[in-house]
Amino acid sequence: MNPFLTPQQQDRLVLASRSPRRIEILRGLGFEFEIEAAPEHLEDDAAHDDPYEIARMLAVRKCEFVALTRARDRVLGADTIVVVDNTVLQKPRDDAEAREFLARLSGRTHTVVTGVAIHHRGHTATGAERTQVTFRKLTPGQIAAYVTTGEGRDKAGSYAAQGIGAGLIRRIEGCFFNVVGLPVGLLLDLMQQE
């Protein structure tokens, strides 16, 4: 159990994701939960005039999809995107796109946005966290070598802030856990909204 929430605020928690990073963060926080991943097709057609709204919208989609069959449970959905030049970089389709994403981020600052949604008793509480990440200047060889590790294949922007990908980063301004995939402070705040 998490010491910052009452037992009622964390009872019957279901994570609408199979993300190993989100699972690790929740376990590290002491949560007991089930996993029922929302289908990946919910990420299709995620367009919005405000790219920052996309992460929140996708988190709500995932959360409410799983909540349809889990009416008594507290369902948690999350989605992370990377925004640079007002363009959303989601998960790369292949290694060529991963190299393209990393070259675009090299030596620059971008924004990582994670949308979080919690559905419980017919109500969905939502929010989004933003974190600024500045990359080191990378050579094409360094980018190619990182891509071959496979670490960024299933991640927004094609990198992980933990593990080998930590070597890509010069500075993080804001919540580190947001960059990993689940902003802890926002999560706890939303779980208290009952």
Side-chain angles (χ1 to χ4, degrees), residues 122-174:
H123 171 73
T124 303
T126 68
E129 184 81 26
R130 298 180 191 202
T131 301
Q132 299 298 115
V133 179
T134 303
F135 265 27
R136 296 172 47 243
K137 183 71 176 159
L138 305 168
T139 67
Q142 290 170 327
I143 290 170
Y146 178 71
V147 169
T148 61
T149 69
E151 187 179 70
R153 286 195 180 115
D154 67 338
K155 295 171 184 68
S158 194
Y159 75 93
Q162 70 283 13
I164 299 166
L168 303 168
I169 298 168
R170 178 162 308 286
R171 181 175 56 254
I172 294 177
E173 297 173 56

Short mmCIF file of all heavy atoms in Angstrom, two decimals, residues 122-174:
data_model
loop_
_atom_site.label_atom_id
_atom_site.label_comp_id
_atom_site.label_asym_id
_atom_site.label_seq_id
_atom_site.Cartn_x
_atom_site.Cartn_y
_atom_site.Cartn_z
N GLY A 122 -17.73 6.09 -12.30
CA GLY A 122 -18.35 6.94 -13.30
C GLY A 122 -17.68 8.28 -13.54
O GLY A 122 -18.16 9.08 -14.34
N HIS A 123 -16.58 8.55 -12.86
CA HIS A 123 -15.89 9.84 -13.01
C HIS A 123 -14.46 9.58 -13.48
O HIS A 123 -13.80 8.66 -13.02
CB HIS A 123 -15.86 10.58 -11.67
CG HIS A 123 -15.00 11.80 -11.67
ND1 HIS A 123 -15.36 12.95 -12.32
CD2 HIS A 123 -13.78 12.03 -11.14
CE1 HIS A 123 -14.39 13.86 -12.17
NE2 HIS A 123 -13.42 13.31 -11.45
N THR A 124 -13.99 10.41 -14.41
CA THR A 124 -12.62 10.31 -14.88
C THR A 124 -11.87 11.58 -14.54
O THR A 124 -12.24 12.67 -15.00
CB THR A 124 -12.56 10.07 -16.41
OG1 THR A 124 -13.31 8.88 -16.72
CG2 THR A 124 -11.12 9.88 -16.88
N ALA A 125 -10.84 11.44 -13.72
CA ALA A 125 -9.95 12.56 -13.38
C ALA A 125 -8.77 12.50 -14.34
O ALA A 125 -8.20 11.43 -14.56
CB ALA A 125 -9.48 12.45 -11.93
N THR A 126 -8.40 13.64 -14.93
CA THR A 126 -7.32 13.64 -15.90
C THR A 126 -6.34 14.79 -15.65
O THR A 126 -6.69 15.78 -15.02
CB THR A 126 -7.85 13.79 -17.35
OG1 THR A 126 -8.39 15.10 -17.51
CG2 THR A 126 -8.90 12.74 -17.66
N GLY A 127 -5.17 14.63 -16.19
CA GLY A 127 -4.16 15.67 -16.14
C GLY A 127 -3.01 15.31 -17.05
O GLY A 127 -2.97 14.21 -17.62
N ALA A 128 -2.09 16.23 -17.20
CA ALA A 128 -0.89 15.98 -18.01
C ALA A 128 0.29 16.69 -17.37
O ALA A 128 0.14 17.79 -16.84
CB ALA A 128 -1.10 16.45 -19.45
N GLU A 129 1.43 16.07 -17.44
CA GLU A 129 2.67 16.61 -16.90
C GLU A 129 3.63 16.88 -18.05
O GLU A 129 3.71 16.10 -18.99
CB GLU A 129 3.30 15.60 -15.94
CG GLU A 129 4.53 16.08 -15.23
CD GLU A 129 4.22 16.95 -14.03
OE1 GLU A 129 3.14 16.81 -13.44
OE2 GLU A 129 5.09 17.76 -13.68
N ARG A 130 4.34 18.01 -17.96
CA ARG A 130 5.33 18.37 -18.98
C ARG A 130 6.71 18.45 -18.34
O ARG A 130 6.87 19.02 -17.26
CB ARG A 130 5.02 19.73 -19.60
CG ARG A 130 3.71 19.78 -20.32
CD ARG A 130 3.49 21.17 -20.89
NE ARG A 130 2.13 21.31 -21.38
CZ ARG A 130 1.75 22.20 -22.27
NH1 ARG A 130 2.64 23.06 -22.76
NH2 ARG A 130 0.52 22.27 -22.67
N THR A 131 7.70 17.92 -19.04
CA THR A 131 9.09 17.96 -18.58
C THR A 131 9.97 18.34 -19.77
O THR A 131 9.79 17.80 -20.87
CB THR A 131 9.52 16.59 -18.02
OG1 THR A 131 8.66 16.24 -16.94
CG2 THR A 131 10.96 16.62 -17.53
N GLN A 132 10.89 19.24 -19.54
CA GLN A 132 11.84 19.65 -20.59
C GLN A 132 13.08 18.76 -20.51
O GLN A 132 13.67 18.60 -19.44
CB GLN A 132 12.25 21.11 -20.40
CG GLN A 132 11.11 22.10 -20.48
CD GLN A 132 10.43 22.11 -21.82
OE1 GLN A 132 9.29 21.75 -21.94
NE2 GLN A 132 11.15 22.50 -22.85
N VAL A 133 13.47 18.21 -21.66
CA VAL A 133 14.64 17.34 -21.74
C VAL A 133 15.59 17.90 -22.80
O VAL A 133 15.16 18.17 -23.93
CB VAL A 133 14.25 15.89 -22.12
CG1 VAL A 133 15.49 15.01 -22.22
CG2 VAL A 133 13.26 15.32 -21.10
N THR A 134 16.84 18.09 -22.41
CA THR A 134 17.85 18.57 -23.35
C THR A 134 18.82 17.44 -23.65
O THR A 134 19.39 16.83 -22.74
CB THR A 134 18.61 19.78 -22.77
OG1 THR A 134 17.67 20.81 -22.45
CG2 THR A 134 19.64 20.30 -23.76
N PHE A 135 18.98 17.16 -24.94
CA PHE A 135 19.90 16.12 -25.39
C PHE A 135 21.31 16.68 -25.58
O PHE A 135 21.48 17.84 -25.91
CB PHE A 135 19.44 15.56 -26.74
CG PHE A 135 18.60 14.32 -26.65
CD1 PHE A 135 17.83 14.03 -25.55
CD2 PHE A 135 18.59 13.43 -27.71
CE1 PHE A 135 17.05 12.89 -25.49
CE2 PHE A 135 17.82 12.28 -27.68
CZ PHE A 135 17.06 12.01 -26.56
N ARG A 136 22.30 15.83 -25.41
CA ARG A 136 23.66 16.14 -25.82
C ARG A 136 23.69 16.18 -27.35
O ARG A 136 22.84 15.61 -28.01
CB ARG A 136 24.62 15.04 -25.34
CG ARG A 136 24.71 14.93 -23.83
CD ARG A 136 25.52 13.71 -23.37
NE ARG A 136 26.77 13.57 -24.09
CZ ARG A 136 27.06 12.53 -24.88
NH1 ARG A 136 26.20 11.53 -25.04
NH2 ARG A 136 28.21 12.46 -25.49
N LYS A 137 24.69 16.82 -27.90
CA LYS A 137 24.90 16.79 -29.35
C LYS A 137 25.44 15.41 -29.70
O LYS A 137 26.47 14.99 -29.16
CB LYS A 137 25.88 17.89 -29.77
CG LYS A 137 26.10 17.97 -31.26
CD LYS A 137 24.88 18.51 -31.96
CE LYS A 137 25.17 18.68 -33.46
NZ LYS A 137 23.95 18.72 -34.23
N LEU A 138 24.75 14.69 -30.57
CA LEU A 138 25.10 13.30 -30.89
C LEU A 138 25.62 13.20 -32.31
O LEU A 138 25.11 13.87 -33.22
CB LEU A 138 23.88 12.40 -30.73
CG LEU A 138 23.17 12.46 -29.37
CD1 LEU A 138 21.83 11.76 -29.43
CD2 LEU A 138 24.06 11.85 -28.30
N THR A 139 26.59 12.35 -32.52
CA THR A 139 27.08 12.09 -33.87
C THR A 139 26.16 11.04 -34.53
O THR A 139 25.48 10.28 -33.83
CB THR A 139 28.52 11.54 -33.85
OG1 THR A 139 28.50 10.23 -33.25
CG2 THR A 139 29.46 12.48 -33.09
N PRO A 140 26.16 10.97 -35.86
CA PRO A 140 25.39 9.92 -36.53
C PRO A 140 25.79 8.52 -36.05
O PRO A 140 24.93 7.64 -35.91
CB PRO A 140 25.72 10.12 -38.01
CG PRO A 140 26.03 11.58 -38.12
CD PRO A 140 26.74 11.91 -36.83
N GLY A 141 27.07 8.32 -35.78
CA GLY A 141 27.52 7.02 -35.28
C GLY A 141 26.95 6.70 -33.91
O GLY A 141 26.58 5.55 -33.63
N GLN A 142 26.90 7.69 -33.04
CA GLN A 142 26.32 7.47 -31.70
C GLN A 142 24.84 7.16 -31.80
O GLN A 142 24.33 6.29 -31.09
CB GLN A 142 26.55 8.70 -30.82
CG GLN A 142 27.99 8.91 -30.42
CD GLN A 142 28.23 10.26 -29.76
OE1 GLN A 142 27.60 11.26 -30.09
NE2 GLN A 142 29.18 10.29 -28.83
N ILE A 143 24.14 7.88 -32.68
CA ILE A 143 22.71 7.63 -32.87
C ILE A 143 22.49 6.21 -33.38
O ILE A 143 21.66 5.46 -32.85
CB ILE A 143 22.10 8.67 -33.84
CG1 ILE A 143 22.07 10.04 -33.16
CG2 ILE A 143 20.72 8.23 -34.31
CD1 ILE A 143 21.71 11.19 -34.08
N ALA A 144 23.25 5.80 -34.40
CA ALA A 144 23.11 4.45 -34.96
C ALA A 144 23.41 3.39 -33.91
O ALA A 144 22.69 2.38 -33.80
CB ALA A 144 24.03 4.29 -36.17
N ALA A 145 24.45 3.61 -33.11
CA ALA A 145 24.81 2.64 -32.07
C ALA A 145 23.71 2.52 -31.02
O ALA A 145 23.40 1.40 -30.58
CB ALA A 145 26.14 3.05 -31.42
N TYR A 146 23.12 3.64 -30.63
CA TYR A 146 22.03 3.57 -29.65
C TYR A 146 20.82 2.84 -30.23
O TYR A 146 20.21 2.00 -29.56
CB TYR A 146 21.63 4.97 -29.16
CG TYR A 146 20.49 4.90 -28.18
CD1 TYR A 146 20.69 4.40 -26.90
CD2 TYR A 146 19.21 5.30 -28.53
CE1 TYR A 146 19.65 4.28 -25.99
CE2 TYR A 146 18.15 5.18 -27.63
CZ TYR A 146 18.38 4.68 -26.37
OH TYR A 146 17.33 4.57 -25.47
N VAL A 147 20.48 3.15 -31.47
CA VAL A 147 19.31 2.49 -32.08
C VAL A 147 19.51 0.98 -32.12
O VAL A 147 18.57 0.22 -31.87
CB VAL A 147 19.04 3.07 -33.49
CG1 VAL A 147 18.01 2.23 -34.24
CG2 VAL A 147 18.56 4.52 -33.37
N THR A 148 20.72 0.52 -32.38
CA THR A 148 20.96 -0.93 -32.45
C THR A 148 20.78 -1.63 -31.10
O THR A 148 20.59 -2.84 -31.06
CB THR A 148 22.36 -1.27 -33.00
OG1 THR A 148 23.35 -0.73 -32.14
CG2 THR A 148 22.53 -0.74 -34.42
N THR A 149 20.81 -0.86 -30.00
CA THR A 149 20.55 -1.50 -28.70
C THR A 149 19.10 -1.95 -28.58
O THR A 149 18.78 -2.81 -27.76
CB THR A 149 20.85 -0.54 -27.52
OG1 THR A 149 19.88 0.52 -27.51
CG2 THR A 149 22.27 0.01 -27.60
N GLY A 150 18.20 -1.34 -29.37
CA GLY A 150 16.78 -1.69 -29.31
C GLY A 150 16.04 -1.07 -28.15
O GLY A 150 14.83 -1.23 -28.02
N GLU A 151 16.73 -0.35 -27.29
CA GLU A 151 16.11 0.19 -26.08
C GLU A 151 14.97 1.16 -26.38
O GLU A 151 13.99 1.22 -25.63
CB GLU A 151 17.18 0.88 -25.23
CG GLU A 151 16.68 1.34 -23.88
CD GLU A 151 17.78 2.02 -23.08
OE1 GLU A 151 18.19 3.14 -23.45
OE2 GLU A 151 18.23 1.41 -22.08
N GLY A 152 15.05 1.91 -27.47
CA GLY A 152 14.03 2.93 -27.75
C GLY A 152 12.94 2.51 -28.69
O GLY A 152 12.08 3.32 -29.06
N ARG A 153 12.90 1.25 -29.08
CA ARG A 153 11.95 0.81 -30.11
C ARG A 153 10.49 1.00 -29.73
O ARG A 153 9.66 1.26 -30.58
CB ARG A 153 12.20 -0.65 -30.48
CG ARG A 153 13.43 -0.81 -31.33
CD ARG A 153 13.51 -2.16 -32.01
NE ARG A 153 14.74 -2.20 -32.80
CZ ARG A 153 15.74 -3.03 -32.55
NH1 ARG A 153 15.66 -3.90 -31.57
NH2 ARG A 153 16.82 -2.98 -33.29
N ASP A 154 10.15 0.83 -28.49
CA ASP A 154 8.73 0.93 -28.10
C ASP A 154 8.47 2.18 -27.25
O ASP A 154 7.54 2.20 -26.45
CB ASP A 154 8.30 -0.33 -27.35
CG ASP A 154 8.99 -0.47 -26.01
OD1 ASP A 154 10.08 0.13 -25.82
OD2 ASP A 154 8.45 -1.17 -25.13
N LYS A 155 9.28 3.23 -27.47
CA LYS A 155 9.16 4.41 -26.60
C LYS A 155 8.98 5.67 -27.43
O LYS A 155 9.57 5.82 -28.49
CB LYS A 155 10.41 4.53 -25.72
CG LYS A 155 10.52 3.37 -24.74
CD LYS A 155 11.84 3.38 -24.02
CE LYS A 155 11.98 2.17 -23.12
NZ LYS A 155 12.09 0.91 -23.86
N ALA A 156 8.17 6.58 -26.91
CA ALA A 156 7.96 7.86 -27.56
C ALA A 156 9.30 8.58 -27.75
O ALA A 156 10.12 8.61 -26.83
CB ALA A 156 7.02 8.74 -26.72
N GLY A 157 9.52 9.11 -28.94
CA GLY A 157 10.77 9.81 -29.21
C GLY A 157 11.94 8.89 -29.48
O GLY A 157 13.03 9.33 -29.80
N SER A 158 11.73 7.59 -29.31
CA SER A 158 12.74 6.57 -29.60
C SER A 158 13.90 6.51 -28.60
O SER A 158 15.02 6.18 -28.95
CB SER A 158 13.30 6.75 -31.02
OG SER A 158 14.00 5.61 -31.40
N TYR A 159 13.62 6.84 -27.32
CA TYR A 159 14.68 6.71 -26.32
C TYR A 159 14.08 6.46 -24.94
O TYR A 159 12.91 6.69 -24.70
CB TYR A 159 15.56 7.97 -26.28
CG TYR A 159 14.91 9.17 -25.61
CD1 TYR A 159 15.10 9.43 -24.26
CD2 TYR A 159 14.12 10.05 -26.34
CE1 TYR A 159 14.51 10.53 -23.64
CE2 TYR A 159 13.54 11.16 -25.74
CZ TYR A 159 13.73 11.39 -24.39
OH TYR A 159 13.14 12.47 -23.78
N ALA A 160 14.94 5.98 -24.05
CA ALA A 160 14.58 5.79 -22.65
C ALA A 160 15.49 6.67 -21.80
O ALA A 160 16.69 6.77 -22.09
CB ALA A 160 14.76 4.33 -22.24
N ALA A 161 14.94 7.31 -20.79
CA ALA A 161 15.76 8.17 -19.92
C ALA A 161 16.55 7.35 -18.91
O ALA A 161 17.51 7.83 -18.32
CB ALA A 161 14.88 9.17 -19.19
N GLN A 162 16.14 6.12 -18.71
CA GLN A 162 16.86 5.23 -17.80
C GLN A 162 17.66 4.26 -18.65
O GLN A 162 17.44 4.14 -19.83
CB GLN A 162 15.87 4.50 -16.88
CG GLN A 162 14.99 3.47 -17.54
CD GLN A 162 13.82 4.02 -18.35
OE1 GLN A 162 13.74 5.20 -18.64
NE2 GLN A 162 12.91 3.13 -18.73
N GLY A 163 18.59 3.58 -18.09
CA GLY A 163 19.39 2.64 -18.85
C GLY A 163 20.41 3.34 -19.74
O GLY A 163 20.90 4.42 -19.42
N ILE A 164 20.71 2.74 -20.88
CA ILE A 164 21.71 3.27 -21.80
C ILE A 164 21.33 4.68 -22.28
O ILE A 164 22.17 5.54 -22.46
CB ILE A 164 21.87 2.33 -23.02
CG1 ILE A 164 22.35 0.95 -22.55
CG2 ILE A 164 22.86 2.91 -24.02
CD1 ILE A 164 22.22 -0.12 -23.61
N GLY A 165 20.03 4.92 -22.45
CA GLY A 165 19.54 6.21 -22.95
C GLY A 165 19.88 7.39 -22.06
O GLY A 165 19.83 8.54 -22.51
N ALA A 166 20.24 7.15 -20.82
CA ALA A 166 20.65 8.25 -19.94
C ALA A 166 21.84 8.99 -20.55
O ALA A 166 22.00 10.19 -20.33
CB ALA A 166 21.00 7.72 -18.55
N GLY A 167 22.64 8.31 -21.36
CA GLY A 167 23.80 8.92 -21.98
C GLY A 167 23.44 9.89 -23.10
O GLY A 167 24.30 10.63 -23.57
N LEU A 168 22.19 9.91 -23.54
CA LEU A 168 21.74 10.86 -24.55
C LEU A 168 21.45 12.23 -23.95
O LEU A 168 21.44 13.23 -24.67
CB LEU A 168 20.44 10.36 -25.21
CG LEU A 168 20.45 8.99 -25.87
CD1 LEU A 168 19.02 8.56 -26.19
CD2 LEU A 168 21.30 9.01 -27.12
N ILE A 169 21.21 12.26 -22.65
CA ILE A 169 20.61 13.43 -22.00
C ILE A 169 21.65 14.29 -21.28
O ILE A 169 22.48 13.79 -20.54
CB ILE A 169 19.53 12.96 -21.01
CG1 ILE A 169 18.42 12.23 -21.77
CG2 ILE A 169 18.97 14.13 -20.20
CD1 ILE A 169 17.44 11.48 -20.89
N ARG A 170 21.56 15.59 -21.52
CA ARG A 170 22.39 16.55 -20.79
C ARG A 170 21.66 17.06 -19.56
O ARG A 170 22.24 17.24 -18.51
CB ARG A 170 22.78 17.72 -21.69
CG ARG A 170 23.60 18.77 -20.95
CD ARG A 170 24.36 19.72 -21.84
NE ARG A 170 25.19 19.12 -22.87
CZ ARG A 170 26.36 18.50 -22.66
NH1 ARG A 170 26.84 18.37 -21.44
NH2 ARG A 170 27.06 18.00 -23.66
N ARG A 171 20.34 17.34 -19.69
CA ARG A 171 19.61 17.96 -18.58
C ARG A 171 18.12 17.61 -18.65
O ARG A 171 17.55 17.51 -19.73
CB ARG A 171 19.79 19.48 -18.66
CG ARG A 171 19.12 20.27 -17.57
CD ARG A 171 19.42 21.77 -17.61
NE ARG A 171 19.09 22.40 -18.88
CZ ARG A 171 19.97 22.80 -19.80
NH1 ARG A 171 21.26 22.61 -19.61
NH2 ARG A 171 19.58 23.37 -20.90
N ILE A 172 17.51 17.44 -17.48
CA ILE A 172 16.06 17.26 -17.36
C ILE A 172 15.54 18.32 -16.41
O ILE A 172 16.06 18.46 -15.30
CB ILE A 172 15.71 15.85 -16.82
CG1 ILE A 172 16.11 14.78 -17.84
CG2 ILE A 172 14.22 15.75 -16.49
CD1 ILE A 172 15.86 13.35 -17.38
N GLU A 173 14.55 19.06 -16.85
CA GLU A 173 13.92 20.08 -16.01
C GLU A 173 12.48 19.67 -15.78
O GLU A 173 11.65 19.74 -16.69
CB GLU A 173 13.98 21.45 -16.69
CG GLU A 173 15.40 21.94 -16.90
CD GLU A 173 15.45 23.21 -17.73
OE1 GLU A 173 14.80 24.19 -17.33
OE2 GLU A 173 16.12 23.19 -18.77
N GLY A 174 12.18 19.23 -14.57
CA GLY A 174 10.83 18.77 -14.24
C GLY A 174 10.89 17.36 -13.70
O GLY A 174 11.93 16.88 -13.25
#
